[in-house]
Amino acid sequence: MHFNHYGGEAARLAADLVNLTAPPRPEHLEPLLAAHGVVHRTLTAAQTEAVWTWSRGLASCFGRQDLEERCQAVNALLADASSSPRISLHDGNPHLHYSAIGADAADHIRAITAAGLAYVVCSAGAERLGRCARRECELAFVDTSRNGRRAYCSVRCANNDAVARHRERHQGSTTQRTGRVRREPAGNRTFGNHAGSSSDS
């Protein structure tokens, strides 16, 4: 599935921001922004902190949830981003920009990620804002597959989870086999003391 730059690409940026595990430094955030085509990506320490705080709010939009709940989460981000959509012709073709000319870099990131999530929900399907089904991972991702049924963030996680499930099934069947009690034929059973012996009591 193909997403335009200000739609799916911004949503993928949102997912990558959600997957940050610690507040980044400006120089660490810059390559991530570059990978998603963000032009103004040299951020100050304060702007980087603002993006980190924003990323924690983006997290609520990913994973399995009720459609109304997800729409409310995205709407809250759109309201908080205070974006000002406008048509731009800077490359010769009309397309939407979601932040004003000269907007603060952090505000621009807030605007495009909120709009990107809204674009995916409305144009591609809300369920495409997923989280990895592998319990040890749970990374956020945007499902760009043809059928929209992707459950894992990567092939590696899918394979690792399949191996783990196989091992669990194998261990369960082994325990079931070794846990069976071997029953002796009735004629060979002995109860209490051996026949002919006397009790000390």
Side-chain angles (χ1 to χ4, degrees):
M1 171 171 248
H2 177 70
F3 289 140
N4 67 38
H5 173 73
Y6 285 100
E9 191 60 45
R12 281 194 286 262
L13 170 60
D16 282 347
L17 291 174
V18 168
N19 293 335
L20 294 173
T21 57
R25 296 173 62 87
E27 61 268 26
H28 297 152
L29 194 56
E30 188 171 344
L32 174 62
L33 299 176
H36 292 286
V38 177
V39 176
H40 303 294
R41 51 183 178 267
T42 302
L43 276 60
T44 65
Q47 289 170 334
T48 301
E49 183 178 354
V51 170
W52 164 254
T53 301
W54 176 252
S55 72
R56 302 307 88 187
L58 293 172
S60 64
C61 299
F62 290 86
R64 289 187 178 182
Q65 55 189 282
D66 178 78
L67 177 60
E68 184 175 351
E69 179 184 359
R70 197 187 313 263
C71 289
Q72 288 176 351
V74 174
N75 278 335
L77 292 173
L78 288 168
D80 197 20
S82 300
S83 63
S84 303
R86 62 187 176 83
I87 298 175
S88 172
L89 289 168
H90 74 79
D91 63 355
N93 296 310
H95 60 274
L96 282 172
H97 276 198
Y98 292 95
S99 60
I101 297 174
D104 175 89
D107 288 344
H108 175 69
I109 291 167
R110 287 155 55 98
I112 63 172
T113 50
L117 294 176
Y119 171 85
V120 171
V121 169
C122 296
S123 300
E127 68 283 354
R128 289 182 179 270
L129 300 177
R131 281 193 179 272
C132 186
R134 184 171 172 245
R135 290 190 300 270
E136 296 81 2
C137 179
E138 296 187 340
L139 287 178
F141 66 89
V142 179
D143 181 2
T144 58
S145 66
R146 184 183 297 272
N147 61 13
R149 295 181 181 177
R150 181 175 155 197
Y152 298 92
C153 69
S154 64
V155 173
R156 181 178 181 180
C157 266
N159 291 340
N160 287 345
D161 207 33
V163 170
R165 291 197 308 271
H166 173 75
R167 286 176 178 168
E168 286 178 3
R169 288 194 299 268
H170 179 70
Q171 289 173 349
S173 61
T174 301
T175 302
Q176 188 175 21
R177 288 196 303 270
T178 58
R180 291 174 181 165
V181 178
R182 182 175 179 270
R183 297 187 179 277
E184 295 287 342
N188 294 339
R189 294 178 190 166
T190 57
F191 300 90
N193 297 321
H194 290 291
S197 65
S198 59
S199 172
D200 292 335
S201 58

